[in-house]
């Protein structure tokens, strides 16, 4: 039995579907009964539990041979570190309580660093906490998600602007489609390693300018690439609607990325192949 937490998200739902397509036994963990009923109608077992509820999560993990889990970034949290630590303690505690043999965690490039990476700091602490449970841990460190483009589709469509929070729009970085990451999750769960490892999940490489060109083509209009100066990042994020402490955390993340701190440094790499144009077509359909 494989347990998928976060099955309503892009990666979790893709992983659960891949496993079901392979005729594996799947139990999804969701927060709402309506979501549980939808997954049950598709043939999965479903458990309703919050990641912060150690007892309920432990019940959902009973008898599982492998777990997929992530650390949600909650934009409503008053204290990002405290929120992350609450979830980490609950998840790691439930894994230890149930003696889960293998955990696949959605992590990120830069999670080997304890500081200076914004919200990725929580992923660093989660990797360490899970490593102390006795489980074999596979940390999947992806870089940029292709679906991040969804955050700027409205401003691109309405204003013809593609904002870039980096010193250059011309540096190419790997971008993986979340459906590809879900497929990697399913594969690793079904073929667990003999020891814990960090796996970099690398998609095709694109610069932000190329992303803007592809998005503009999909929207049928030319986009102006607006490179936001570093000193203006927090203010620009606040103007976009983020709370000040969230804006500061995101600015730190962008700064780390701009300085190469999120580069792949895992034990091995898996290369995935979905092209951004295909992802954009699906998002805009």
């Amino acid at each position: 039995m494989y347990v998928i937490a976060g099955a309503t998200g892009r990666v979790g739902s893709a992983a659960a579907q891949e496993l079901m397509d392979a005729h594996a036994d799947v139990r999804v963990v969701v927060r709402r009964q309506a979501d549980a009923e939808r997954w049950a109608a598709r043939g999965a077992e479903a458990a309703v539990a919050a990641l912060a509820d150690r007892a309920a999560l432990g019940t959902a993990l009973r008898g599982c041979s492998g777990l997929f889990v992530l650390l949600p970034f909650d934009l409503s949290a008053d204290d990002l570190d405290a929120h992350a630590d609450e979830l980490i303690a609950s998840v790691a505690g439930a894994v230890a309580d149930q003696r889960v043999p293998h955990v696949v965690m959605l992590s990120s490039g830069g999670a080997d660093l304890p500081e200076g990476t914004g919200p990725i700091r929580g992923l660093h602490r989660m990797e360490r906490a899970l490593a102390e449970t006795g489980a074999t841990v596979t940390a999947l460190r992806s870089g940029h998600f292709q679906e991040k483009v969804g955050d700027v589709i409205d401003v691109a469509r309405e204003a013809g602007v593609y904002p870039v929070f980096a010193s250059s729009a011309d540096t190419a970085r790997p971008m993986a489609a979340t459906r590809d990451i879900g497929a990697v999750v399913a594969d690793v769960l079904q073929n667990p390693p003999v020891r814990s490892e960090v796996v970099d999940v690398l998609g095709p490489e694109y610069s932000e300018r190329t992303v803007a060109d592809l998005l503009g083509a999909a929207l049928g209009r030319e986009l102006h690439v607006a490179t936001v100066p570093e000193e203006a990042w927090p203010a620009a994020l606040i103007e976009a609607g983020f709370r000040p402490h969230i804006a500061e955390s995101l600015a730190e993340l962008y700064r780390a990325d701009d300085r190469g701190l999120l580069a792949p440094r895992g034990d091995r790499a898996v290369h995935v192949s979905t092209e951004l144009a295909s992802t954009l077509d699906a998002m805009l359909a």
Side-chain angles (χ1 to χ4, degrees), residues 12-109:
S13 61
Q17 191 58 58
E18 286 277 344
L19 289 166
M20 292 169 66
D21 290 345
H23 307 291
D25 293 328
V26 176
R27 181 186 300 139
V28 300
V29 179
V30 293
R31 290 180 296 171
R32 293 175 288 269
Q33 183 62 36
D35 293 326
E37 292 170 359
R38 279 191 285 271
W39 275 104
R42 294 165 65 176
E45 285 190 29
V48 178
L51 291 182
D53 187 336
R54 176 172 174 170
L57 182 59
T59 298
L61 296 182
R62 286 178 183 166
C64 83
S65 57
L67 163 69
F68 167 71
V69 70
L70 41 68
L71 181 64
F73 180 52
D74 187 352
L75 296 176
S76 68
D78 293 326
D79 186 321
L80 293 176
D81 285 326
H83 174 72
D85 288 341
E86 178 187 12
L87 295 182
I88 291 166
S90 177
V91 171
V95 167
D97 293 343
Q98 298 300 322
R99 298 183 181 180
V100 176
H102 181 213
V103 179
V104 179
M105 172 194 161
L106 181 61
S107 190
S108 170

Side-chain angles (χ1 to χ4, degrees), residues 11 22 45 49 54 62 82 135-136 139 145 160 169 193 230 235 238 243 266 283:
V11 175
E45 285 190 29
R54 176 172 174 170
R62 286 178 183 166
T136 298
F145 291 168
E230 180 178 337
I238 291 170
R243 298 166 70 187
M283 294 176 68

Side-chain angles (χ1 to χ4, degrees), residues 181-194:
I181 300 172
V184 173
V185 170
D187 179 67
V188 173
L189 281 171
Q190 294 175 97
N191 300 282
V194 297

